[in-house]
């Protein structure tokens, strides 16, 4: 896989003055359910990098599971990575991504935490790219080489309970594609699919996500039963650590395309997944591994192989916007995942993503990701709506 290409836009190097990290949590009335667990509140780990000129870029670190994961990732950012970044000279965020990964590789192995380390690096990479775009006075999608701010979106995270009302609401908002969570028993899954297909009609896109729920034998049995619903893809039917030969066996027998990638990390693993031809849709999560620097390589390799890149994302608004800009920058026929469930930490921060026209959004031309989080306003607003916890850490 080739190295990240330099941006065509020349941006002067900058010096990192400080790194801040904030853990935000908002309780929710309806838990978000997957086949492996339930989220009873919505966390967001926001990171900001400020340079010596006072310009700030924002990123987000994946932190959905386990329940204590957000505070843990924030501690990694503030105690391990912020001291490494403070005072450093940044010419290209991709260089920083590689340097941080290399410098902490042994520590990640020693602690048995390569995932959390990669997630912290990913969030910082997003912040550095946002900062670079803001310094250039360009929207991130444009800085990265994109030519249009217009992208398609789909409503994700549809639970096995209450999805009918949620889908009806999203249709009114302008959504044209939807993804249902399955893996809760064949009869229940099929009944939910039948109900949703009736609501959205025969032509709108409908996908499903099994969240690693099945064995190969189960998936081979269940996938044909889902065929009548004309699914755009079946996401993560198998555990992400199962051999690629199992994914290939399923791909050769499933009546719909397979999707995956949110739980793949590293160039080698993505290269192998792409080369296997088991996946029609590759879904790296830029807040979970790679940030922009790593994911750009994956996206280019995905598209060169004739496969579809669709960003995975299920967090707050900052990471969602970064994912949107990454999709707009790289083009192709992918679609942005937007969680349909209520989450103030997403909707108060995701800017133009709540204005849809025929299933598409325009990201606009504001510098960077286009939004500057107002933490004071955010805290006050959420306090008015629900109990709220904010753990802030700062390093300079």
């Amino acid at each position: 896989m080739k190295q990240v290409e330099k941006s065509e836009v020349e941006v002067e190097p900058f010096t990192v003055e400080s790194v801040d990290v904030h853990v935000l949590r908002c309780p929710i009335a309806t838990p978000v359910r997957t086949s492996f667990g339930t989220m009873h509140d919505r966390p967001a780990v926001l990171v900001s990098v400020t340079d010596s000129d006072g310009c700030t870029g924002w990123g987000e670190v994946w932190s959905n599971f386990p329940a204590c994961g957000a505070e843990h990732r924030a501690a990694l950012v503030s105690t391990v990575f912020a001291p490494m970044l403070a005072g450093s000279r940044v010419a290209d965020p991709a260089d920083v991504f590689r340097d941080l990964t290399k410098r902490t590789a042994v520590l990640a192995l020693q602690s048995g935490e390569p995932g959390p380390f990669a997630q912290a690096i990913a969030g910082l990479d997003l912040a550095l790219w946002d900062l670079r775009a803001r310094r250039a006075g360009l929207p991130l999608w444009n800085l990265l080489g994109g030519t249009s701010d217009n992208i398609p979106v789909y409503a994700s995270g549809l639970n096995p309970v209450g999805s009918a009302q949620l889908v009806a609401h999203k249709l009114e908002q302008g959504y044209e594609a939807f993804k249902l969570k399955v893996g809760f028993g064949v009869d229940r899954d099929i009944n939910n699919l039948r109900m949703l297909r009736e609501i959205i009609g025969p032509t709108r896109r409908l996908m499903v996500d099994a969240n690693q729920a099945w064995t190969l034998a189960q998936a081979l049995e269940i996938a044909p039963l889902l065929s009548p619903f004309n699914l755009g893809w079946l996401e993560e039917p198998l555990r992400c650590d199962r051999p690629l030969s199992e994914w290939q066996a399923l791909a050769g027998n499933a009546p719909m395309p397979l999707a995956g990638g949110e739980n793949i990390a590293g160039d080698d693993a993505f290269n192998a997944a792409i080369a296997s031809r088991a996946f029609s849709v590759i879904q790296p999560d830029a807040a979970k591994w790679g940030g922009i620097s790593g994911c750009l390589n994956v996206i280019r390799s995905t598209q060169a192989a004739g496969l579809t890149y669709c960003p995975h994302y299920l967090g707050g608004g900052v990471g969602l916007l970064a994912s949107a800009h990454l999709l707009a920058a790289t083009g192709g026929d992918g679609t942005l995942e937007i969680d349909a469930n209520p989450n103030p930490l997403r909707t108060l921060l995701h800017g133009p993503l709540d204005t849809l026209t025929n299933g598409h959004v325009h990201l606009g031309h504001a510098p960077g990701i286009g939004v500057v989080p107002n933490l004071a306003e955010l805290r006050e607003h959420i306090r008015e709506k629900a109990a709220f916890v904010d753990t802030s850490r700062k390093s300079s």
Side-chain angles (χ1 to χ4, degrees):
M1 187 176 287
K2 65 182 180 180
Q3 293 296 312
V4 175
E5 297 175 1
K6 302 287 185 180
S7 169
E8 295 181 1
V9 179
E10 291 296 329
V11 182
E12 289 294 322
F14 57 87
T15 300
V16 175
E17 181 72 21
S18 63
V19 177
D20 300 334
V21 56
H22 304 268
V23 178
L24 310 177
R25 284 190 179 275
C26 183
I28 50 179
T30 302
V32 178
R33 302 186 185 280
T34 69
S35 60
F36 59 80
T38 301
M39 297 172 61
H40 293 283
D41 63 22
R42 302 308 298 267
V45 179
L46 305 185
V47 293
S48 61
V49 177
T50 301
D51 66 22
S52 57
D53 295 320
C55 187
T56 299
W58 289 86
E60 185 169 348
V61 180
W62 184 92
S63 62
N64 291 335
F65 298 98
C68 62
E71 287 76 15
H72 173 56
R73 271 66 166 186
L76 286 178
V77 171
S78 63
T79 63
V80 176
F81 292 102
M84 291 183 180
L85 275 176
S88 62
R89 190 75 169 161
V90 178
D92 190 321
D95 296 333
V96 179
F97 171 77
R98 289 187 287 269
D99 181 61
L100 292 179
T101 301
K102 182 178 179 180
R103 290 173 66 184
T104 60
V106 173
L107 181 56
L109 292 172
Q110 180 69 22
S111 62
E113 295 194 302
F117 273 70
Q119 292 149 19
I121 294 172
L124 289 166
D125 185 82
L126 296 179
L128 289 171
W129 276 104
D130 181 43
L131 175 53
R132 182 180 175 88
R134 292 180 193 272
R135 288 180 62 88
L138 294 172
L140 182 56
W141 62 265
N142 194 197
L143 177 84
L144 294 171
T147 58
S148 173
D149 70 334
N150 184 34
I151 56 172
V153 303
Y154 71 91
S156 175
L158 301 176
N159 286 331
V161 176
S163 58
Q165 296 87 341
L166 191 54
V167 167
H169 176 59
K170 292 301 173 181
L171 281 170
E172 293 178 354
Q173 290 184 329
Y175 281 87
E176 293 290 322
F178 304 86
K179 188 172 74 180
L180 173 73
K181 290 188 176 294
V182 295
F184 302 94
V186 176
D187 290 342
R188 189 179 192 183
D189 293 341
I190 289 177
N191 286 336
N192 280 333
L193 280 169
R194 183 179 296 113
M195 173 188 62
L196 292 188
R197 182 50 84 186
E198 290 177 357
I199 293 172
I200 69 174
T203 59
R204 290 188 176 93
R205 295 183 67 197
L206 179 61
M207 294 80 73
V208 294
D209 186 352
N211 289 119
Q212 309 183 71
W214 303 322
T215 65
L216 175 59
Q218 290 172 322
L220 287 169
E221 179 181 356
I222 295 171
L225 302 178
L226 308 182
S227 180
F229 302 103
N230 187 27
L231 299 179
W233 70 66
L234 168 58
E235 186 172 330
E236 284 202 318
L238 308 177
R239 275 177 41 167
C240 65
D241 62 350
R242 297 309 301 162
L244 284 172
S245 59
E246 291 192 7
W247 288 87
Q248 290 169 321
L250 180 59
N253 290 276
M256 72 286 292
L258 301 186
E262 68 183 89
N263 291 307
I264 297 176
D267 287 348
D268 291 343
F270 272 109
N271 275 334
I274 293 168
S276 75
R277 310 302 298 187
F279 302 90
S280 297
V281 181
I282 301 291
Q283 303 168 298
D285 188 320
K288 198 170 190 180
W289 175 83
I292 287 170
S293 298
C295 285
L296 273 176
N297 289 333
V298 171
I299 297 164
R300 288 167 180 152
S301 295
T302 296
Q303 294 174 338
L307 308 178
T308 298
Y309 158 64
C310 283
H312 174 271
Y313 195 73
L314 198 76
V318 169
L320 178 60
L321 279 171
S323 300
H325 280 257
L326 189 53
L327 179 63
T330 52
D333 56 355
T335 309
L336 179 69
E337 176 175 26
I338 300 182
D339 183 13
N341 296 286
N343 180 6
L345 298 178
R346 181 188 72 252
T347 54
L348 293 176
L349 294 171
H350 71 187
L353 297 182
D354 61 354
T355 304
L356 279 71
T357 302
N358 297 323
H360 287 67
V361 298
H362 285 276
L363 300 180
H365 295 268
I369 60 173
V371 168
V372 177
N374 185 328
L375 294 176
E377 181 181 2
L378 182 65
R379 294 183 186 108
E380 186 62 31
H381 186 94
I382 294 180
R383 281 197 185 101
E384 293 174 357
K385 300 296 183 182
F388 173 72
V389 176
D390 172 18
T391 302
S392 299
R393 296 172 180 267
K394 183 172 183 177
S395 176
S396 61

